[in-house]
Amino acid sequence: MALPWWVWGLFAMAAIVAAGRGMATLWAHPAGPWVMTGLGVGGLGMLYVGPGRRALARRPVPGAALRYSLTHLDALGDRDFELAVHRLLRRDGFAATHVGKAGDKGADVIAVDRWGRTFVVQCKRLRRDRKVGDQDVQRVNGTYRHDHGAAFAVIVTTGGFTLPALASGPGYGIHMVDRGGLEQWADLGMPLYGLLGIAAPPHQRRWQLSR
């Protein structure tokens, strides 16, 4: 079993003292006070650095991308799929809130981008051979602006979309992420806005969002 860092520090300090002629003799030496001060500062530094290193080890590595395979997403329940989408949005830098529940009025996740735009995400976990229909698009269209004050909406599914849904969605300001798009976003790490072709709004400053 590995010994704690501070135990090794005590062993090292004891060895240094034992190798000399004793504390009193060391202090009497012209360089003794400097040596003693160095030992004290070193010990305090170890007390500070040890916990600090452990804390750093617990932090996410900068730039480490969250990835989900389609196989993993297919195995999730509805709520867990919503939470996975929520985490992917946060990975991409959005301030996202999971709100999915009964009576959520078409919003499973509400997100805000760095320019202050709010958008609604509706999650549809389906079998790969199932498709989101136009009725679902109409339902989201009827709520995302009026009930949630969103600038646009996104429907994400593990399946596909019917032709009527694909035809009506863009006209309502609804972006659609089918199984192929979900793989690019969740597994291959493509940012959502890059996948959807959404650009920064002109002449607006970026917000500093807490994640």
Side-chain angles (χ1 to χ4, degrees):
M1 184 178 72
L3 292 176
W5 62 269
W6 55 268
V7 173
W8 291 109
L10 291 176
F11 284 162
M13 293 178 68
I16 291 172
V17 173
R21 298 180 179 179
M23 298 293 290
T25 303
L26 182 60
W27 184 262
H29 192 276
W34 295 103
V35 174
M36 295 294 293
T37 301
L39 290 174
V41 171
L44 290 175
M46 293 176 68
L47 289 173
Y48 176 79
V49 171
R53 290 181 64 182
R54 291 198 301 273
L56 287 172
R58 290 193 295 266
R59 296 177 187 172
V61 178
L66 175 71
R67 304 291 176 90
Y68 291 116
S69 68
L70 289 180
T71 301
H72 176 83
L73 295 175
D74 285 338
L76 299 178
D78 291 343
R79 176 178 171 80
D80 286 335
F81 178 58
E82 294 170 7
L83 292 172
V85 169
H86 169 256
R87 296 185 190 104
L88 288 168
L89 289 164
R90 291 176 64 86
R91 179 200 73 183
D92 285 0
F94 300 106
T97 304
H98 176 246
V99 295
K101 58 185 178 181
D104 58 22
K105 297 183 178 180
D108 292 319
V109 182
I110 295 178
V112 182
D113 68 17
R114 294 186 180 278
W115 296 275
R117 293 180 298 192
T118 299
F119 61 96
V120 161
V121 181
Q122 173 69 215
C123 304
K124 294 291 185 182
R125 191 193 62 82
L126 304 174
R127 295 200 313 261
R128 66 176 65 196
D129 60 336
R130 299 292 298 274
K131 296 182 178 182
V132 177
D134 190 52
Q135 69 276 11
D136 296 301
V137 174
Q138 299 293 340
R139 188 176 300 114
V140 172
N141 178 52
T143 59
Y144 84 83
R145 285 180 297 254
H146 182 269
D147 292 286
H148 303 292
F152 58 90
V154 181
I155 301 177
V156 181
T157 182
T158 50
F161 293 90
T162 64
L163 290 177
L166 291 171
S168 62
Y172 296 135
I174 299 175
H175 300 269
M176 288 171 281
V177 179
D178 62 8
R179 187 175 183 83
L182 181 60
E183 182 177 30
Q184 293 183 63
W185 182 37
D187 194 7
L188 303 181
M190 177 180 289
L192 181 63
Y193 271 15
L195 176 68
L196 300 178
I198 298 176
H203 312 303
Q204 290 196 29
R205 296 179 60 186
R206 300 179 95 185
W207 286 21
Q208 294 296 322
L209 297 177
S210 59
R211 298 175 61 186

